[in-house]
Amino acid sequence: MDRTTDAVLSIPLDDVTLEGELIVPRDASGIVVFAHGSGSSRHSPRNNFVAGRLHEAGLATLLFDLLTEDEDRSRENRFDIPLLTDRLVAVTEWLRQRDDTAELTIGYFGSSTGAAAALRAAASDDTSVDAVVSRGGRVDMADAVLDTITAPTLLIVGGNDESVRRLNQEAHAKLSCSKSLHVVPGAGHLFEGEGELEEVADVAADWFAEHLGNPN
């Protein structure tokens, strides 16, 4: 992969500075912004594995911490979906102002509670994102906005993650956009079994490549 940008950077917002890692392959036409789940960070091995697969598909990625270190010490902040959504919306605007990402179509990849923030941000008039993927998402925490989302949305869930699978099935029925529900047979919430995370990465890469206009 030929990279034009590969940087660990600070993202200045109005009230805080967040840490992230931006990778932009040469000739990328889309960028995927990751919203991790509670208690996780930009260092999440699962999200980094998926990001690597997206790079192979010619897509840019931004993994960033939705909370500062001090904020993350509070369990309440980790489950403050409106706060996480606002951060994701603000970072999306920051990307649109950078020279190396301003022209890229944008997608969201959200995990667990981060998926709720991704779905709520996708429903915002301030983002205009082009695709969303949820991995094991707490989609019930975005229930109020599901029918307003217009970006093509893929919900990925483990077959053995019964409660979350049920929530995703209910959410899928409420979505009125282009949508798909992908169940990984036998997988639990963390997709730890052999080949399970690889399947997640492959279907996510295919979805983003299709909807973010990547020529590859």
Side-chain angles (χ1 to χ4, degrees):
M1 178 186 63
D2 189 1
R3 299 174 177 177
T4 57
T5 302
D6 184 355
V8 176
L9 39 74
S10 297
I11 304 170
L13 304 183
D14 287 341
D15 53 345
V16 295
T17 298
L18 304 177
E19 303 303 315
E21 181 175 356
L22 175 66
I23 295 179
V24 184
R26 188 176 302 279
D27 298 328
S29 61
I31 183 168
V32 178
V33 184
F34 283 72
H36 56 74
S38 61
S40 188
S41 73
R42 70 185 189 279
H43 301 299
S44 161
R46 294 174 185 85
N47 282 350
N48 275 274
F49 181 89
V50 174
R53 176 66 184 87
L54 298 183
H55 301 153
E56 292 172 2
L59 293 162
T61 61
L62 174 67
L63 289 94
F64 76 102
D65 295 336
L66 282 83
L67 300 171
T68 66
E69 286 189 19
D70 286 343
E71 290 172 335
D72 192 52
R73 295 188 179 98
S74 166
R75 178 177 171 82
E76 181 178 351
N77 286 334
R78 294 181 178 185
F79 288 88
D80 188 340
I81 305 302
L83 171 62
L84 303 182
T85 301
D86 288 345
R87 294 281 170 83
L88 189 52
V89 170
V91 168
T92 303
E93 178 59 27
W94 174 81
L95 283 172
R96 295 195 188 282
Q97 295 175 2
R98 285 180 59 95
D99 291 342
D100 55 353
T101 56
E103 302 302 318
L104 301 179
T105 53
I106 294 179
Y108 291 149
F109 183 95
S111 306
S112 191
T113 51
L119 290 166
R120 288 171 61 115
S124 171
D125 293 334
D126 298 323
T127 55
S128 298
V129 297
D130 296 278
V132 180
V133 174
S134 161
R135 172 179 65 81
R138 285 295 308 274
V139 291
D140 55 304
M141 301 177 88
D143 186 72
V145 303
L146 291 175
D147 62 350
T148 69
I149 295 170
T150 59
T153 299
L154 169 64
L155 307 178
I156 305 173
V157 66
N160 286 357
D161 190 9
E162 294 183 5
S163 61
V164 175
R165 175 166 53 84
R166 184 180 66 254
L167 293 172
N168 276 259
Q169 290 168 334
E170 294 171 355
H172 181 263
K174 294 177 181 179
L175 290 167
S176 57
C177 57
S178 175
K179 60 186 179 180
S180 183
L181 174 66
H182 184 92
V183 179
V184 179
H189 189 64
L190 298 179
F191 301 92
E192 294 179 303
E194 183 177 356
E196 292 173 356
L197 192 58
E198 288 83 354
E199 183 172 341
V200 170
D202 286 343
V203 296
D206 288 345
W207 189 263
F208 285 127
E210 177 182 356
H211 296 290
L212 298 186
N214 184 58
N216 295 327

